[in-house]
Every structure is written in C-alpha cells, then in structure tokens.
Amino acid sequence: MTDTPTEALDAIARTADDAAHALALSAPAARAAALNAAADALTANADELVALAMDETGLAEARLRGELKRTAVQLRLFADTVVDGTYLDARIDRPDPEFALGPRPDLRRVNEPVGPVLNFAASNFPFAFSVAGGDTAAALAAGNPVIVKAHPGHPRLSERTAALVAAALEGAGLPTGTLQLIEGQDAGTAMLKHPLVKAAAFTGSTGAGRMLADIAAARPAPIPFYGELGSVNPVFVTAGAIEERGSAIAAGLVTSVGGSAGQLCTKPGLVFLPEGHGLAEAVAAASAAIAEHRMLNPRIAAGYAQRREAVLGAKGVRVLAPGEVRTDEDGQAWVTPTIAAVALDDLRAGGDTLLPECFGPLAILVDVPDGERYADLLEELFEGNLTVTVHRAEGDDVARLVRAAARRAGRVLFDGWPTGVAVTPAMQHGGPWPATTSGGTSVGTAAIGRFVQAVAYQNAPEALLPPPLRDDNPWGVPQRIAEAGESARWGGAGN
Amino acid sequence: MTDTPTEALDAIARTADDAAHALALSAPAARAAALNAAADALTANADELVALAMDETGLAEARLRGELKRTAVQLRLFADTVVDGTYLDARIDRPDPEFALGPRPDLRRVNEPVGPVLNFAASNFPFAFSVAGGDTAAALAAGNPVIVKAHPGHPRLSERTAALVAAALEGAGLPTGTLQLIEGQDAGTAMLKHPLVKAAAFTGSTGAGRMLADIAAARPAPIPFYGELGSVNPVFVTAGAIEERGSAIAAGLVTSVGGSAGQLCTKPGLVFLPEGHGLAEAVAAASAAIAEHRMLNPRIAAGYAQRREAVLGAKGVRVLAPGEVRTDEDGQAWVTPTIAAVALDDLRAGGDTLLPECFGPLAILVDVPDGERYADLLEELFEGNLTVTVHRAEGDDVARLVRAAARRAGRVLFDGWPTGVAVTPAMQHGGPWPATTSGGTSVGTAAIGRFVQAVAYQNAPEALLPPPLRDDNPWGVPQRIAEAGESARWGGAGN
C-alpha cells in the first residue's frame, strides 16, 4: 500500500466531477445494471476476496462470506431502489390561477445527485462498510461518483475490491472515475477539503469522526458529513423477562457481545437488570463456551486492552466472566468475552470510565435497585445511540421507556439483540450525536437520501425537464401531483 | 424590547423540552387544528399586526397584507401536510424467514420530531420568515416546540405575534411552551449552544449565518443548522428571448429588482445579456417609473449605500438607471432602483466587488460577447444560489445551461422572475452553499423534512408502536409495506 500523493488528488477530484456530469444524466436502468454488475463481480471473486480479508482482518471465514454476500445483496437492493424511483420524491404542482396566494406557476421538484462523494471506509466491516459497502452503494445509486479512502487495516483487499468494482461499473457503461480509491490519512483529509467533493461518509471512532466532521464544517463551502461514530447500545431487561426466559437472555447476550470479537458498532455494552437477577452463573457459563477470536489489528487490540483494564479497575466493578487477551507470535491479539457487573450507584460514580464505548468483547451488567425507573436512567445516563434494546414480558409497562429510547436512538429493539443489522427499506442505522453526525441512516435503502439534493423547475418546457418530472414519465417513477385547486396526491408507477 | 436575560434561558429550554414530550404524542388532527387556530389568530388581528409592521419595517401596506395572508395560508398548508402524513415516510418490513441474508425481523420506520427547534427570525419578512413564518410552521407541524429569536428590526410586532400565536396554540390544546420568544443577540447564540435545542433555522446574511452555523457545528453535540443565506440569483437571457419580448423583459426585470426595495433573497442581482442587446433605454425608462420605497432600517440602508457605491465605482461599470438613496428627517433611507451595466471582462476583473450579493434595489447587466457560453459562465462565476433564471425562445439550445443551473441552484426558472416564491409542495427554496447551509428548503411543505429524524422499531408489540406504524393505521397515513418475499410498495390512505 502506498499513500496517494497530495499532487495526485486534484486530478482524482476532477475525474470524479467529470463523471458526476455524465452520471447525473444516466437512466435508472443503466445505474441499476451497473450496481448488479458490481455485485456479480464481488460474488464471482468471493474466494480470492475472502482469503485476502481473512489474512488482513483476522475475521472468521463464515462471517466474511456472509458479509460479502450481504454486500452484494446490498448493491442489488440499491439497484431496485434506483429503478423504483420513490427516493426521487418527484412532485408536480400544476399551474393554478386560483391559488390562495395568487396565480401559482408550474412547479416541479425532484431529488438530484449531490456530486462527488468521499467515503471513508471502516476497519471492522472490510466488505459491508468499505470500498463497495453501503455508503458507496447508496451514493452510486443516487447517481454520484465515489472516492473511497481505503482503511489501512485491509489495503490489499481494498485495492482488489476497487479494481474489480470499478471495472464492473465501467464495463456496464458508467463513466471512468465512477469509483476511485485513495490511500493514506493525509490524502483523506486533503480530499475532504477539495471544493469538488460535495458530501462525505464515514464509519469509525468518535474521535476520528469528530475531527473529520469539524474539517467538513470548517470548509469555505461546508459540506454534509455523514459520520457513524460511537454507540454503547444500552439494553434494559425487566424482571418479567428474566422470569420468563432468563437463561435464554444470558446466552443471547453473550453471543451478541462476543460475535466478531465484539468489534461491532451495535455491540450491547451496558445491560440494565433488576438487582438480584440471578443470571451471573448463566452468563459466566455461556462466556466460557465462546472460542477465542482474533482482533482486527494490534492498534485496536491495544485500545481494547486499555479500556478493559480501566473498566475492571473501576470502583465496585465485579468480574462475572474474566475473558482473556492473548498476543500471538505475530503480535496479533486473541480475545474471549469479558462480562463485568456493577451496582447502579457505582456506575453513576464511575460514569467517565464505565459509560463510554468499549470497542471489543466487553459488556457491563448493571444491578438496578427497586424503585429506579429505566426510562429515567436512560435519560440520565445516555446521549445518542444507534440502538436501545428492551427485553420485556407481556403486561410489563414499558411505554415511557420506549418513548425515551426513541428520542435517544435510531433503532429500538424488543426481546432481541442489536448486532446483526438487516439491510431493508425500514432499517435505521443512525441516531442522535454521537451515534451519527448529520442524521440519516447508513444501512438500508433509505441511506440513498443522504446523497441527493432537491431542485425545483418553474415553468420549464417539457423538453428541458429531467425525465422523472415529465408528464410522459419515461422512467415510470412515482409522481406526487397537485392539480389546480387540489391537494397533492401520489401518482405514477405502481399506483 | 428587552433582551432575554441569560439566566432565563435554561428555564425556557426546559419548558420547550417538556412540551416536546407532549407534542411528540399529539395526534395529527390536534396539531393541524392548532396550526389553523394560529392562522385564524393572525387573520383576525391583521389590522393591528400590519400597522405594527408598517411602522417597524417601512414595508408597504399591500405587501404586508399579502405577506400576512401568505403566512396564514402557510400555516394551513402545514396543517394539511400533517394530516396527509406522507412526510412521516412510514415503512413496514414484514418478517421474512426466507430473506436473502437470513431471517428478517419485523422492522418499522417512521419520521419522529427532532426536539426543540430554535428559529432565528429575518428582518425582511416580518411575517413569513419571522415569529409565525415558514420555519416555525414547519417545525410545529413536525411536532416540535419552537423557540423564536426575535429579529431586532420589528420587536413589538414579534412580541405581539408571539403572544397571539402562543395563545392560539395553547387554546387549541397544545402544551405550554410550544412557542416561546427570546430577544437579543447574546440570548440567541447562548440558546443555540443549549443541549436541549436539537435543530436551528435561520434566514439572514451570509456573515451572520456562517457565524451561527459554526457555533452549531462546534457544540459538544453538534446539531443541524438550516441557514438560508446569500444569493445573487443570476439571470441568463438569450438573443432569441430579447428579439421575441425584449421590452417585457426590461420591465419585468426592473419590477423584480425594485419590489420591496430589493430587500429579497431572490432579487435578481446579475443579468447576462448578449452584447448589443439594446434594452438600456427600456430599463432606464422602467426604473424611472418606480416610486421610492423605504428601506427596512438604517443599518441595512447603510450597507446598501456602501455596496452600491462600490459597484458604481468599479472599473468599467456604467449607469443605466442611477437610482437614489435619500435619508429622511427620522434617519430612514428611501430608495429607487439602480441598474448598472458592465462588460464581461470587467465583471471578471472586478469580481470581488461585483459578484457578491447587494441587498437592496440594485442589479448589474452584463454584456456577454459572441462566443462566450452561458453554461461556462455560470460554472466559472457562481457558487450556490437560491435560483437561476433562464429567458429563452423556442428553439434556443439551453440544455447545458439548465443542467449547470440545477447543479448550482435549488430552483431553475424559465421566462419569469425569481422574486415571489410560491408556497406549494414542489417549491425548493434552498441551494448549495452559501444559498443554504444544510440543504433542505425553507419554503413549501417539503420544509417539514428538516425537523424530523427517523426511528426504526424492531419486533415491537403492536401496542408499543407509534400510531403511524400500526397495522390498524389509526391516523390513516401512507405506509410503505414490504411483505415477505416482496419489494416494498405504498399502501395506506389514498392509495
């Protein structure tokens, strides 16, 4: 891997800008075919790509094969999203000489691509949040060229993926420069300042994300920066749920904490249980059954070891399952889950140490005394999160907890675990700061909405309108039409 | 007018936060009724409010009566928007055991209110972009309490409007603190930093907007800041259009530049014409027929006089209609339109002076020699704008100009003038920086989208779902449903 030299960046940005012009005019079917071609290329080269990923990240083969499949399916879902066209939010107001505020012109509004998008790839999902991952797929689907800043954790995989996907996109007829790769931290921050870059996406730590968000906001012309940063994903378990299925909850928790060595943004980090819950033994037993797993790289492992030590050393923290951190002869760390426990008052006193995210297979069980209400605790202890999980039984009154959760997280789950994020139209993977920086979702088809901007055309001749706004609707997309004297209504395809 | 004391701000924010909890649960019909009650209150008190506005802003009675009517209609349109419910973007993915990536849970996603919104009112629209203006209406419609920072240009009007509207909203059953007013620049910036404020809106100058946007971005928890800042609204006129209707273009231009003393964010500031267009006399004659108009306040008038002097003193600038700036015995300035002209090369050379917005009744006609292309000029000379206008005749090839315009402006107009912004579903009043800071539109019903955030519910019991996501759909809103094995499709009300 070689860092992209600073003097090469301007040409890369210009190539992307040239591609943006052509892409903006591309028909949905053409973009969809290209996204499907990219998915085909990933699938056809799965053996090679998974082998590279295993070597560079230490993630398990089954997990990586599943992640590659998810990445390919994600590209195909975005292909469907483009053809469906609902994301365009096409609106047509017919002229209305009798409008309440005086004659209304012919006005038509549609979401258009925003321009070149810079995507900072993540370490922990070498496929699904990397070169050909969700942010790339969403930005391409919206009709934007993408410049990916490779994550240094998997450089060879990044280069190979970029070569395959760029060739597939261009082979399907999209312009040269639709997907480009840059490498190196300096190249990434310099590109974030380039005036031709119009939006950026990022998945990673709160520290790095904040630094980049501040750069994006401080540009002479600021751009939206969609960062997906830290999250502790609190879980609240009622007494009723424990009574009904306590041992299943213990087992599910440990699986969710330990999977992929806990290196997931949705790993549950803090679990609130009624004092005297009696799950300690079941948790310890389930943890002991988890095989050791390599961490992504020594830097992340060192950060984890340090956080783990701090948590275990905090006042009042007890160890339910000690877990292990072992360094092999290559300097790579191997870990098993650590599950700690703490009383609520000690959590409050040690919040600076115990409340922030710990990236790795560690969770803290919090003993909550009678009389404390989960909804109040959620509001007292937490800022924005990607998820809040509620385990309850029939008849438990959790309505206020659920409303509080919806104000602090993008996803509220019931009786399950937040890891394993479905890629579907209704997914929301984002939340109030610091879960995400600029709103929106980075998983699911709604993610396309981050990479468009609305343009209205007033009294435009039919021939000068973009296709989704024309009366003959050549792309067959949904059009929301307000006739003279009428409220708006949906029309177009499928209606 | 008294500045809100710093020590009062926390209680105001807490009152808004309390209101947010109740408002988030309010049914669409209740919010719609309250918005309509606010519109009724404005209408019933029009005589008093318009008289206050005339005194404080110097705007003409007819314009202010029209603006008040627009403001009331705007509230009613948002009432319809709430009941319609399309803005909720309700999505339901049914569980799918056969989903390509493994069993899919029941996932449901809806747009929920973001929380207390801080709205910085504008000077130049004392109704439509002020206490009860578009940003307030949109934020309330989405279910958020609003704290308005009054503009110091019309303090008595702001206080009276706030009292009337707050009483109407509360009278219709919305919680106390749904609308609150604060006054003073220090109070505004301090409130922008308050952790309970979750989004902000602003209409005003690029300088003030940038200062506030930077504050919002630098918060420990950054929030979206929707600023509508400067715009020069370039106009491009083809030779064919001049041949077809040159004198009508001259007259229309002067009316658009002079209306409300040019104190509109959509005033056309630069008009590109083919060299030798022959409209100079018609422009001068139309200008001479415009009656003098008071400017909003001495500060804005001083800024205008300074900018006008700089423009008229720039190399190569000729005067087509000199216009006037006269100060009366009360220190208020009265103005008539100034129309200048310049050759393209002199515009390029003097761009630092000639290209920035001039807030007031001044426009510059640019003589464009043969061989220069408008699309290239637009890309060379302009950043983001609220509007770009094209005057053309049948057969003119303006396709590339229109594409370039759509990349640099939120609204592209044909054969008309950008002033006079329709309040409709398809309006887009925004554009790339510096036209707006965070995308979105501040006019039209799509403006509601700035004040919501998506929340997904996974495997939620029916009784714990928000109404728009329930199977029985008690609010009758559109629901986008993905059945197992099916793509998403729209259902629900009106489909």
Side-chain angles (χ1 to χ4, degrees):
Chain A
M1 162 166 167
T2 322
D3 283 5
T4 309
T6 309
E7 58 273 20
L9 297 176
D10 188 58
I12 291 170
R14 286 178 188 282
T15 301
D17 189 55
D18 288 343
H21 284 82
L23 272 174
L25 298 174
S26 61
R31 287 214 298 287
L35 290 168
N36 285 326
D40 292 342
L42 293 181
T43 307
N45 294 275
D47 290 346
E48 178 197 354
L49 294 172
V50 167
L52 271 174
M54 287 172 67
D55 188 53
E56 290 191 312
T57 69
L59 292 168
E61 179 172 357
R63 141 76 197 262
L64 288 167
R65 287 202 180 272
E67 186 186 332
L68 186 142
K69 183 178 178 188
R70 165 184 165 164
T71 306
V73 167
Q74 191 161 255
L75 287 160
R76 297 186 198 285
L77 282 173
F78 276 107
D80 294 346
T81 302
V82 178
V83 172
D84 170 74
T86 304
Y87 83 96
L88 295 166
D89 192 20
R91 300 172 181 221
I92 298 177
D93 299 340
R94 305 252 185 243
D96 186 352
E98 308 292 324
F99 191 60
L101 301 174
R104 185 174 79 180
D106 181 298
L107 262 174
R108 302 175 185 229
R109 181 181 191 269
V110 70
N111 286 330
E112 304 201 357
V114 74
V117 172
L118 174 61
N119 174 13
F120 290 84
S123 64
N124 59 337
F125 281 90
F127 296 116
F129 286 84
S130 190
V131 174
D135 287 326
T136 294
L140 290 173
N144 303 294
V146 177
I147 300 166
V148 177
K149 189 267 175 188
H151 195 281
H154 46 272
R156 285 176 294 137
L157 175 66
S158 299
E159 288 168 9
R160 184 69 182 129
T161 307
L164 286 168
V165 171
L169 296 172
E170 291 177 31
L174 297 194
T176 307
T178 296
L179 183 77
Q180 300 179 88
L181 192 74
I182 62 174
E183 294 175 86
Q185 188 173 324
D186 292 347
T189 53
M191 190 61 93
L192 185 58
K193 296 176 186 171
H194 198 289
L196 291 175
V197 168
K198 299 301 185 191
F202 168 86
T203 308
S205 72
T206 303
R210 179 70 197 233
M211 187 266 292
L212 295 172
D214 287 346
I215 290 174
R219 289 167 42 121
I223 55 172
F225 179 82
Y226 297 101
E228 191 241 281
L229 316 182
S231 187
V232 292
N233 307 298
V235 177
F236 296 87
V237 187
T238 67
I242 291 171
E243 196 174 333
E244 187 178 287
R245 53 183 195 282
S247 60
I249 288 172
L253 166 65
V254 172
T255 303
S256 186
V257 171
S260 299
Q263 300 165 113
L264 302 175
C265 46
T266 52
K267 182 211 73 179
L270 282 159
V271 185
F272 294 82
L273 300 147
E275 215 171 45
H277 52 75
L279 297 189
E281 272 183 40
V283 164
S287 294
I290 303 269
E292 74 172 359
H293 192 295
R294 204 193 97 182
M295 293 206 77
L296 287 160
N297 58 58
R299 194 183 56 76
I300 286 176
Y304 172 66
Q306 194 179 17
R307 281 285 293 132
R308 176 176 173 276
E309 206 166 313
V311 166
L312 296 185
K315 182 171 171 299
V317 169
R318 290 164 287 128
V319 173
L320 300 189
E324 208 185 6
V325 182
R326 175 181 73 80
T327 305
D328 69 15
E329 59 272 23
D330 297 327
Q332 298 288 357
W334 294 75
V335 291
T336 50
T338 296
I339 314 284
V342 71
L344 178 60
D345 279 344
D346 287 325
L347 175 71
R348 284 178 168 133
D352 289 351
T353 300
L354 300 177
L355 286 172
E357 180 178 10
C358 171
F359 195 72
L362 183 146
I364 305 170
L365 274 46
V366 184
D367 296 319
V368 179
D370 245 16
E372 296 273 2
R373 298 194 53 168
Y374 284 161
D376 296 333
L377 290 180
L378 181 57
E379 291 180 350
E380 173 193 339
L381 299 172
F382 294 99
E383 287 192 284
N385 269 278
L386 291 170
T387 70
V388 169
T389 300
V390 179
H391 280 270
R392 29 69 80 190
E394 201 63 37
D396 287 340
D397 178 12
V398 293
R400 205 164 73 78
L401 173 61
V402 171
R403 296 317 305 153
R407 283 167 62 95
R408 275 180 176 61
R411 183 162 54 114
V412 184
L413 295 89
F414 294 82
D415 308 331
W417 301 98
T419 48
V421 182
V423 183
T424 74
M427 177 49 70
Q428 172 65 18
H429 190 67
W433 173 271
T436 41
T437 53
S438 299
T441 177
S442 64
V443 178
T445 54
I448 195 172
R450 297 172 302 162
F451 302 117
V452 295
Q453 60 192 3
V455 179
Y457 296 83
Q458 183 169 327
N459 290 335
E462 180 88 359
L464 290 171
L465 282 169
L469 294 181
R470 292 184 194 151
D471 287 336
D472 65 353
N473 194 1
W475 293 352
V477 300
Q479 295 176 328
R480 187 167 162 85
I481 298 175
E483 300 289 352
E486 244 190 33
S487 299
R489 59 171 178 75
W490 280 98
N495 279 272
Chain B
M1 163 166 166
T2 323
D3 284 5
T4 310
T6 309
E7 57 274 20
L9 297 176
D10 188 58
I12 292 170
R14 287 179 187 282
T15 301
D17 190 56
D18 287 343
H21 285 81
L23 272 174
L25 298 174
S26 61
R31 286 214 298 286
L35 290 167
N36 286 326
D40 292 342
L42 293 180
T43 307
N45 295 275
D47 290 346
E48 179 198 352
L49 295 172
V50 168
L52 271 174
M54 286 172 68
D55 186 53
E56 291 191 311
T57 68
L59 293 168
E61 179 174 356
R63 142 73 199 266
L64 288 167
R65 287 202 180 270
E67 188 187 330
L68 187 143
K69 184 177 178 185
R70 165 183 164 165
T71 306
V73 168
Q74 194 161 254
L75 288 160
R76 296 186 198 286
L77 282 172
F78 276 107
D80 294 346
T81 303
V82 178
V83 172
D84 171 74
T86 305
Y87 83 95
L88 295 167
D89 192 21
R91 302 173 178 219
I92 298 177
D93 300 340
R94 303 250 186 246
D96 186 352
E98 309 291 325
F99 191 58
L101 301 175
R104 185 174 81 180
D106 181 298
L107 262 174
R108 303 175 185 228
R109 181 182 191 268
V110 70
N111 286 330
E112 303 201 357
V114 74
V117 172
L118 175 61
N119 174 13
F120 291 84
S123 64
N124 60 337
F125 280 89
F127 295 116
F129 286 84
S130 192
V131 174
D135 287 328
T136 295
L140 290 174
N144 304 294
V146 177
I147 300 165
V148 177
K149 188 267 175 188
H151 195 280
H154 46 273
R156 285 177 294 138
L157 176 65
S158 299
E159 288 168 8
R160 186 67 182 128
T161 307
L164 286 168
V165 172
L169 296 171
E170 290 176 31
L174 297 193
T176 306
T178 296
L179 183 77
Q180 299 179 91
L181 193 74
I182 61 173
E183 295 177 82
Q185 188 174 322
D186 291 347
T189 51
M191 190 62 92
L192 185 57
K193 296 176 185 169
H194 198 287
L196 291 174
V197 169
K198 297 303 184 189
F202 168 86
T203 309
S205 72
T206 303
R210 179 68 197 235
M211 187 267 291
L212 294 172
D214 288 346
I215 289 173
R219 288 166 44 121
I223 56 171
F225 179 83
Y226 298 101
E228 190 239 282
L229 315 183
S231 185
V232 293
N233 306 298
V235 177
F236 296 87
V237 187
T238 67
I242 291 172
E243 196 174 333
E244 188 178 284
R245 52 183 196 282
S247 59
I249 289 172
L253 167 65
V254 172
T255 303
S256 186
V257 171
S260 298
Q263 300 165 116
L264 302 174
C265 47
T266 52
K267 182 212 70 180
L270 283 158
V271 184
F272 294 83
L273 300 147
E275 212 169 46
H277 53 75
L279 296 189
E281 273 182 40
V283 164
S287 293
I290 302 268
E292 75 173 0
H293 193 294
R294 204 194 98 182
M295 293 204 77
L296 288 162
N297 59 57
R299 195 184 56 77
I300 286 176
Y304 172 65
Q306 193 179 17
R307 279 286 293 134
R308 176 176 172 273
E309 207 167 310
V311 166
L312 296 184
K315 183 170 170 296
V317 169
R318 291 164 286 127
V319 174
L320 300 188
E324 209 185 3
V325 182
R326 177 180 72 79
T327 305
D328 69 15
E329 59 272 25
D330 297 328
Q332 297 289 358
W334 295 75
V335 292
T336 51
T338 296
I339 314 285
V342 71
L344 178 61
D345 279 345
D346 287 325
L347 175 71
R348 283 179 168 133
D352 288 350
T353 301
L354 300 176
L355 287 172
E357 180 179 12
C358 171
F359 194 71
L362 183 147
I364 305 170
L365 275 47
V366 184
D367 297 319
V368 179
D370 246 18
E372 295 273 3
R373 298 193 53 167
Y374 283 160
D376 296 334
L377 290 180
L378 181 58
E379 291 181 350
E380 172 193 340
L381 299 172
F382 294 99
E383 287 190 284
N385 269 279
L386 291 170
T387 71
V388 169
T389 300
V390 179
H391 280 271
R392 30 69 77 190
E394 201 61 41
D396 286 340
D397 178 12
V398 294
R400 205 163 73 78
L401 172 61
V402 171
R403 296 316 306 150
R407 282 167 64 96
R408 275 182 177 57
R411 182 162 55 113
V412 184
L413 295 90
F414 295 83
D415 309 330
W417 300 99
T419 49
V421 182
V423 183
T424 75
M427 177 49 69
Q428 172 65 17
H429 190 67
W433 174 271
T436 41
T437 53
S438 299
T441 176
S442 63
V443 179
T445 54
I448 196 172
R450 296 171 303 160
F451 303 117
V452 295
Q453 60 192 3
V455 179
Y457 296 83
Q458 182 168 327
N459 290 336
E462 179 89 357
L464 290 171
L465 283 168
L469 294 180
R470 291 184 195 153
D471 287 337
D472 63 354
N473 195 0
W475 293 352
V477 300
Q479 295 176 328
R480 188 167 162 84
I481 298 175
E483 300 289 352
E486 243 189 34
S487 298
R489 61 172 175 73
W490 280 99
N495 277 270

